[in-house]
Amino acid sequence: MHSDALTRDWRYPSTALSVRSMRRDLRPFLMSSDLPDAEVDDLVLAACEAAANGIEHAQHPTEPFFDVQAEVEGRQVRIVVRDYGRWTMRRVGPGHRGRGLRMMTTLAAVCLTSGPLGTSVTLRNLVDGRSGG
């Protein structure tokens, strides 16, 4: 993105309570964009799901936290949520479990990169995917 982009970085402990803190920090920052409130809500929800997945699925983390970077330029938003563990899929029974990635891809364009040193989830708003906000 260009030099007029706004960027913020946060670091949170890998605990469930940190998702709420992230939401409180991320939402006002994203409101500085030209996005409609509904798109901001979608991005915040997708980022919270990425963070929750990182907290739950990152096994044996080399660092006890996750990082969030958000970048806004006009109507373009990019959010990266990174954990420092090996991602493992826990076996889940019937019910609502195991749907986080599917939900994220409904709310945002998602790119997931996973390796032995951690997982990064990059979320971008669906600028051309929807109209009307």
Side-chain angles (χ1 to χ4, degrees), residues 24-40:
R24 285 188 198 145
D25 293 335
L26 186 59
R27 182 180 304 279
F29 177 74
L30 294 182
M31 294 302 287
S32 70
S33 71
D34 295 334
L35 294 179
D37 290 353
E39 286 187 51
V40 169

Side-chain angles (χ1 to χ4, degrees), residues 91-108:
R91 299 230 180 253
V92 294
H96 71 284
R97 307 291 298 154
R99 296 188 182 148
L101 186 58
R102 188 176 329 141
M103 182 177 71
M104 282 187 279
T105 59
T106 301
L107 300 169

Side-chain angles (χ1 to χ4, degrees), residues 15 18 22 35 38 43 60 79 82 85 91 93 101 123-124 131:
T15 65
S18 293
M22 184 194 76
L35 294 179
L43 287 166
H60 310 293
I79 302 166
R82 183 171 193 263
R91 299 230 180 253
L101 186 58
L123 305 164
R124 295 180 188 274
S131 61

Side-chain angles (χ1 to χ4, degrees), residues 50 54 79-87 101 104 110-123:
I79 302 166
V80 179
V81 179
R82 183 171 193 263
D83 67 61
Y84 295 90
R86 284 184 171 270
W87 195 86
L101 186 58
M104 282 187 279
V110 178
C111 177
L112 187 131
T113 306
S114 189
L117 300 179
T119 299
S120 291
V121 177
T122 302
L123 305 164

Side-chain angles (χ1 to χ4, degrees), residues 37-80:
D37 290 353
E39 286 187 51
V40 169
D41 290 344
D42 286 352
L43 287 166
V44 170
L45 183 57
C48 287
E49 187 60 35
N53 281 351
I55 292 165
E56 180 178 351
H57 296 292
Q59 301 300 302
H60 310 293
T62 58
E63 302 289 345
F65 51 78
F66 65 95
D67 292 324
V68 179
Q69 181 182 72
E71 190 172 65
V72 173
E73 183 180 0
R75 286 189 41 83
Q76 295 182 328
V77 175
R78 180 180 62 86
I79 302 166
V80 179

